[in-house]
Amino acid sequence: MSRPSIPKGTRDFLPAEVRKRQYIFDTIRGVFETWGYVPIETPAMELLETLLGKYGEEGDKLLFRILNNGDFLAKADREALAQMDSQRLALSIARRGLRYDLTVPFARYVVMHRHELSLPFKRYQIQPVWRADRPQKGRYQEFYQCDADVAGSDSLMYEAELVQIYDAVFRKLGLKVRIKLNNRKVLAGMAEVAGVADRFTDMTVAIDKLDKVGWEGVRAEMEARGIGAEAQQRLQAMLEARSVEALAEALAPSQTGRLGIEELQSVLAYLDGIELHNALLFDSTLARGLSYYTGCIFEVVVDTDAHPGVRMGSIGGGGRYADLTGIFGLKGVSGVGISFGAERIYDLLEELNLFPEGLARTLQVLGIAFDEATHRFAFRQISALRQAGIAADLYPEPVKLKKQMKYANAIGVPWVLLVGEDEMKTGKPALKNMHTGAQSAHTLSEILDILRADA
RNA sequence: GUGGGUGUAGCUCAGCUGGUUAGAGCGCCAGAUUGUGGCUCUGGAGGUCGCCGGUUCAAAUCCGGUCAUCCACCCCA
């Protein structure tokens, strides 16, 4: 056996890393709970029929498939096997796959449990998902998503509420962000007005590249995708509109466009007078994630004015999908939701040094003894502290003091309880403060007071 | 899935155009200091040079493959 390893794109986490991750999850969870969302969990595995075809052709390729147990070749598609047709063969030897996101399983969940749920159903879900993507910075094959979605209401109040949630979470994390808002109907309206409604997806793919390749690049992309020069001109003019009002005029000829504008205005009206700590920006060039969104779309990026030099893609996204559960046979249930990219948020907080102090510490006091007798005595003292709710531990052997002290220092415990022969006789262990180096003898109840006061 | 960079001690990295026992800093262990960590000093341990193959008298160094990782693209969180 050579060096042990783990699969590509997966990671182990050291205790300090887990603490930091939990800090992010706890912060997000706390905000979700405050806004009235309730937690659910779904299995890591779903049936492939649930997953396939929901994320486009690209998504199907990135699905992890789970090989059937037992003699899977017995039921394999022999023809596909003979023809070396991996795609088709896979269907006959794998019926399950790892979930790719939390939204599709949620839609499946709503349909399956519709009689047990009261609509609108506001759920949050913080669980790992898997994608057979090529790993990159901030991109892994196993990563957590933190989603909040509402099923069963068309109210635009929820769009406003989700903006608030983004704002509250990033405020608590100390990260300045820009919350970008757009509406798919507005984009559809633009396509109509420009006469390229039939080229809608091509248009959005091109627009989405704006911040990366500039207008010249976008127009080249449109050209390559069969959008003519005149349409390009009209699209650019509309996309350069700075305000909702300015765009409303341009979109007046399109009914869909007008509806999109109305929705945006309605969301903004809900937020009128609501204090936000991060910038909320209407951005008509926000065009990603359009496969199933039908109304408002959100994206969160780092505020590079507040945090100069940071280079990171989107750290959150979401939107409205008018027909959330239709693919699973339940019509008329609308959904709207957002997702936090916890892994990227982690990298950012790390880079910007925004994790609070003291996350790593839980153990408050470490007992240190000098010989067998004092070790047993210390065990009782430490037990008493634990009974009183103090996180306490005892070094397992009464070895050389220096070694025990080094260990205490290495794990960063703030207090050390020293128990020698004198301390055992007087019943007053020495409590040492590892930061100041000061130490003094105290009864157990005095020690308890000191530790409680410090906690 | 496409193209490129990197892979040397636990960590971060030196090692020129191939040439004897492969180095540094940090970390680790021990001692100075037999009831006191961090600081200092002294000493020590630790390396299949990612892996497989090829060229060569000789490969960490050159070539091919492979794996991992990073970057760009695609797509996305």
Side-chain angles (χ1 to χ4, degrees):
Chain A
M1 188 72 189
S2 56
R3 269 202 205 106
S5 189
I6 55 175
K8 168 165 67 172
T10 65
R11 297 152 296 163
D12 281 332
F13 300 106
L14 294 169
E17 296 171 324
V18 174
R19 283 270 153 63
K20 290 176 185 171
R21 291 167 62 81
Q22 282 174 346
Y23 162 71
I24 294 172
F25 295 146
D26 290 347
T27 301
I28 293 171
R29 182 181 299 116
V31 172
F32 285 168
E33 293 269 357
T34 303
W35 262 261
Y37 290 74
V38 292
I40 69 161
E41 291 190 15
T42 64
M45 296 184 282
E46 292 277 354
L47 294 175
L48 275 175
E49 63 198 63
T50 302
L51 266 17
L52 283 168
K54 309 300 191 296
Y55 310 103
E57 208 176 312
E58 201 65 32
D60 284 357
K61 278 192 227 160
L62 300 181
L63 279 175
F64 277 106
R65 292 143 201 266
I66 299 171
L67 195 59
N68 290 342
N69 295 66
D71 187 6
F72 56 85
L73 273 184
K75 293 178 185 170
D77 183 335
R78 283 161 192 282
E79 204 179 314
L81 184 59
Q83 291 172 1
M84 302 293 280
D85 185 340
S86 309
Q87 291 276 50
R88 207 143 59 82
L89 177 66
L91 293 173
S92 66
I93 60 174
R95 28 185 225 102
R96 295 161 297 175
L98 294 176
R99 71 167 162 252
Y100 180 89
D101 74 353
L102 301 178
T103 304
V104 167
F106 174 54
R108 190 224 81 218
Y109 180 101
V110 169
V111 173
M112 281 185 65
H113 299 281
R114 59 180 177 275
H115 300 303
E116 303 158 74
L117 302 173
S118 303
L119 301 185
F121 179 54
K122 302 173 71 171
R123 84 85 169 81
Y124 74 88
Q125 193 170 355
I126 299 177
Q127 288 192 280
V129 302
W130 294 267
R131 295 182 188 179
D133 212 353
R134 179 101 138 209
Q136 252 183 62
K137 191 170 192 63
R139 270 172 96 157
Y140 307 94
Q141 294 204 339
E142 177 182 68
F143 62 98
Y144 272 75
Q145 285 196 332
C146 311
D147 280 27
D149 291 81
V150 185
S153 169
D154 291 318
S155 173
L156 291 162
M157 172 190 85
Y158 288 120
E159 272 82 345
E161 169 174 305
L162 293 166
V163 168
Q164 277 187 296
I165 288 176
Y166 269 139
D167 185 61
V169 166
F170 287 113
R171 184 195 182 197
K172 279 176 189 260
L173 293 175
L175 196 61
K176 275 280 181 192
V177 298
R178 299 193 180 110
I179 304 164
K180 299 202 270 185
L181 178 67
N182 195 12
N183 192 297
R184 186 188 150 114
K185 296 188 179 92
V186 164
L187 288 163
M190 286 187 207
E192 258 180 59
V193 171
V196 290
D198 56 326
R199 282 266 173 278
F200 181 66
T201 304
D202 288 306
M203 180 193 87
T204 58
V205 169
I207 291 173
D208 188 41
K209 297 186 177 178
L210 179 59
D211 46 347
K212 213 167 238 174
V213 299
W215 278 112
E216 210 172 307
V218 170
R219 295 187 64 156
E221 183 83 28
M222 286 181 175
E223 191 68 44
R225 288 172 179 271
I227 295 173
E230 199 197 323
Q232 290 171 27
Q233 190 64 51
R234 300 180 71 169
L235 286 171
Q236 181 170 352
M238 284 186 277
L239 290 164
E240 282 176 331
R242 274 276 149 259
S243 66
V244 179
E245 292 71 28
L247 193 57
E249 248 177 82
L251 289 181
S254 159
Q255 192 191 337
T256 307
R258 287 199 303 273
L259 197 55
I261 293 288
E262 271 170 39
E263 288 185 8
L264 281 170
Q265 286 170 335
S266 177
V267 172
L268 294 173
Y270 272 113
L271 290 169
D272 191 33
I274 298 275
E275 192 189 358
L276 294 178
H277 299 84
N278 293 284
L280 172 64
L281 307 163
F282 163 63
D283 181 356
S284 63
T285 68
L286 171 56
R288 54 192 0 183
L290 278 175
S291 47
Y292 43 68
Y293 293 135
T294 55
C296 283
I297 46 184
F298 309 107
E299 184 175 64
V300 180
V301 296
V302 179
D303 183 333
T304 45
D305 291 334
H307 308 289
V310 169
R311 289 185 67 239
M312 179 66 77
S314 145
I315 53 175
R320 166 74 65 174
Y321 19 94
D323 190 22
L324 171 67
T325 55
I327 39 172
F328 297 115
L330 182 62
K331 299 285 175 198
V333 176
S334 178
V336 62
I338 55 172
S339 181
F340 286 83
E343 318 289 345
R344 288 182 175 180
I345 293 170
Y346 179 100
D347 289 346
L348 282 170
L349 296 188
E350 192 71 273
E351 184 179 341
L352 297 169
N353 222 336
L354 290 173
F355 283 109
E357 295 290 317
L359 277 183
R361 183 199 302 168
T362 41
L363 188 66
Q364 208 186 354
V365 60
L366 180 74
I368 287 179
F370 295 85
D371 55 33
E372 291 299 327
T374 54
H375 193 250
R376 283 192 291 273
F377 179 76
F379 186 75
R380 280 182 265 288
Q381 304 285 295
I382 291 297
S383 297
L385 292 175
R386 288 168 169 167
Q387 285 296 323
I390 300 289
D393 204 358
L394 176 62
Y395 197 86
E397 310 276 349
V399 295
K400 267 190 306 191
L401 203 52
K402 178 173 175 136
K403 189 170 173 66
Q404 301 191 64
M405 288 299 291
K406 271 195 98 143
Y407 178 75
N409 199 56
I411 63 172
V413 66
W415 297 92
V416 161
L417 191 74
L418 289 148
V419 183
E421 210 175 318
D422 293 346
E423 287 82 358
M424 185 167 67
K425 268 185 206 153
T426 60
K428 289 185 171 183
L431 186 66
K432 182 184 177 78
N433 181 315
M434 291 296 282
H435 299 302
T436 65
Q439 82 180 56
S440 49
H442 297 282
T443 65
L444 204 59
S445 71
E446 287 168 349
I447 287 169
L448 210 48
D449 288 341
I450 294 170
L451 295 179
R452 278 186 175 143
D454 182 57

